[in-house]
Amino acid sequence: IDSLHPTSQASFDPKAYEGALVIFDEDEQIFWHALNSSTCRDNRQAILSSLKTLIQTVLRSGGQIVLQDADLSDISIDFVREFAETDIEPWVAVNHWQPSEPWKVKFYDTQHVKGGTKDDPSGLLKDAVDCVNGGGKIWVSTDSQKVKSKHGSKNLEKYFQSRCPG
């Protein structure tokens, strides 16, 4: 959203999106960020003007705006409706699905292992390797990638490849 102004490096042109499908994923956070973030402060008026033009261009040319958020509220829907400046009737899908059995979740406090206060994910990594080698699947999220990060994605990939053949 920070780049939705004409002087950004992205050279954003909202009129280039005629007939487009525009998906706002986590729209509650996106719109909050546009309205409140310090990173948008200097260009907020231009950003909101471009956002309004984008929404109008898409909707007036047969395109579609999709808002996705687990916490979608009328605030975001009304925000888009106001910017559209045309009468649009939203279609809302609500997911009521619940798993038949609760997920098995184990919390690893990697900050306080073996009486220490140092980041030690050894228990988590051991259980993950055991799970994969037992035919299970794992999901790993990390906020780092570089090799200099001990538990970044590149090092974790090498770690799992060396311990989980195939």
Side-chain angles (χ1 to χ4, degrees):
I1 200 86
D2 293 60
S3 299
L4 296 190
H5 61 89
T7 59
S8 75
Q9 288 182 340
S11 301
F12 183 73
D13 178 9
K15 293 183 179 176
Y17 290 85
E18 287 188 357
L21 168 63
V22 175
I23 301 171
F24 291 99
D25 189 25
E26 302 296 345
D27 61 88
E28 296 284 329
Q29 290 81 2
I30 290 169
F31 298 149
W32 182 95
H33 185 83
L35 294 169
N36 297 289
S37 171
S38 63
T39 62
C40 294
R41 181 181 300 121
D42 294 341
N43 297 297
R44 192 171 330 277
Q45 184 176 358
I47 289 169
L48 293 174
S49 178
S50 288
L51 181 59
K52 182 176 182 176
T53 302
L54 171 68
I55 290 169
Q56 290 176 353
T57 299
V58 168
L59 293 175
R60 291 178 183 168
S61 62
Q64 189 175 14
I65 302 287
V66 175
L67 305 179
Q68 297 179 161
D69 201 301
D71 300 310
L72 182 64
S73 72
D74 287 343
I75 294 170
S76 287
I77 294 170
D78 291 343
F79 180 81
V80 171
R81 291 175 85 180
E82 282 292 320
F83 270 30
E85 290 185 349
T86 185
D87 189 30
I88 54 174
E89 188 62 35
W91 179 84
V92 179
V94 179
N95 182 354
H96 293 287
W97 180 84
Q98 294 289 319
S100 56
E101 294 182 26
W103 294 346
K104 295 177 183 174
V105 176
K106 182 174 181 179
F107 178 75
Y108 294 87
D109 184 357
T110 63
Q111 293 296 317
H112 301 91
V113 178
K114 301 173 193 162
T117 57
K118 196 169 187 182
D119 190 22
D120 180 0
S122 58
L124 180 146
L125 294 173
K126 180 192 176 308
D127 287 355
V129 167
D130 291 347
C131 177
V132 171
N133 286 333
K137 296 179 181 179
I138 61 170
W139 175 279
V140 178
S141 294
T142 180
D143 62 358
S144 57
Q145 175 186 23
K146 306 286 186 225
V147 174
K148 67 180 180 180
S149 172
K150 184 176 179 182
H151 300 108
S153 61
K154 292 186 183 290
N155 288 330
L156 287 175
E157 178 182 23
K158 288 178 188 172
Y159 177 86
F160 287 118
Q161 285 177 339
S162 72
R163 288 163 176 80
C164 306

